[in-house]
Amino acid sequence: MISTRGRYAIRVMLDIAQHQKDGYVPMKEVAGRQNLSLKYLEQIIPPLKKNNMVEGIQGKGGGYRLVRKPEQYTIGDILRITERDLAPVSCLAEGAEKCNRRDKCQTIDFWEGLNSVVNDYLDSKTLADLMK
């Protein structure tokens, strides 16, 4: 399940994409338009900034803007930064120890297939797609 952190990150990125033509977008304005807590958004922005998804400046006229064009941001990339892992089961999570039952597991193909479908779908959608 995608957490509020991931869902809000998509909303923030989408809002910035839609309003950055006027320059840097203040988080206070994003919070107001999206009806989200500014304090919560201030926790979502740092990993996006650290992973070069947004850049920001402080002070008068400050805020955030996208580093690239909206069509260059997949929803999968945004969610992997904010959710850390999108695997449907723990044995497929990034960095998980190899399961000692994997060779005998009758469901692993199912879980790998689901994981592939979900990630392929998320990687096929961009911010530009959501802007339409």
Side-chain angles (χ1 to χ4, degrees):
M1 183 176 302
I2 304 299
S3 71
T4 56
R5 184 178 179 94
R7 294 192 329 261
Y8 290 3
I10 293 169
R11 287 170 59 185
V12 166
M13 294 288 288
L14 186 56
D15 191 283
I16 292 171
Q18 292 170 322
H19 294 94
Q20 71 178 7
K21 63 186 169 291
D22 301 325
Y24 287 87
V25 181
M27 274 302 102
K28 184 176 181 180
E29 291 179 13
V30 174
R33 280 190 294 269
Q34 297 296 323
N35 196 28
L36 300 172
S37 160
L38 179 58
K39 285 202 178 284
Y40 196 47
L41 295 187
E42 289 170 346
Q43 295 173 21
I44 292 172
I45 286 292
L48 295 172
K49 189 174 176 185
K50 178 182 175 193
N51 285 277
N52 205 33
M53 302 290 265
V54 297
E55 61 184 8
I57 59 171
Q58 295 187 6
K60 185 173 170 72
Y64 294 89
R65 69 178 181 190
L66 302 182
V67 174
R68 302 182 304 264
K69 295 178 181 179
E71 55 271 11
Q72 295 175 307
Y73 291 87
T74 70
I75 302 306
D77 288 340
I78 296 167
L79 289 176
R80 278 187 280 281
I81 288 169
T82 55
E83 296 290 325
R84 292 180 187 85
D85 202 319
L86 300 172
V89 291
S90 61
C91 63
L92 295 179
E94 187 176 324
E97 290 185 31
K98 185 174 180 191
C99 176
N100 59 1
R101 295 195 67 248
R102 187 175 181 95
D103 295 338
K104 300 175 225 159
C105 183
Q106 293 178 297
T107 61
I108 191 64
D109 289 340
F110 170 79
W111 296 121
E112 287 175 335
L114 177 60
N115 192 46
S116 178
V117 167
V118 168
N119 279 283
D120 289 350
Y121 180 75
L122 294 173
D123 289 335
S124 76
K125 302 297 178 190
T126 67
L127 284 178
D129 294 327
L130 298 183
M131 291 173 73
K132 294 177 185 173

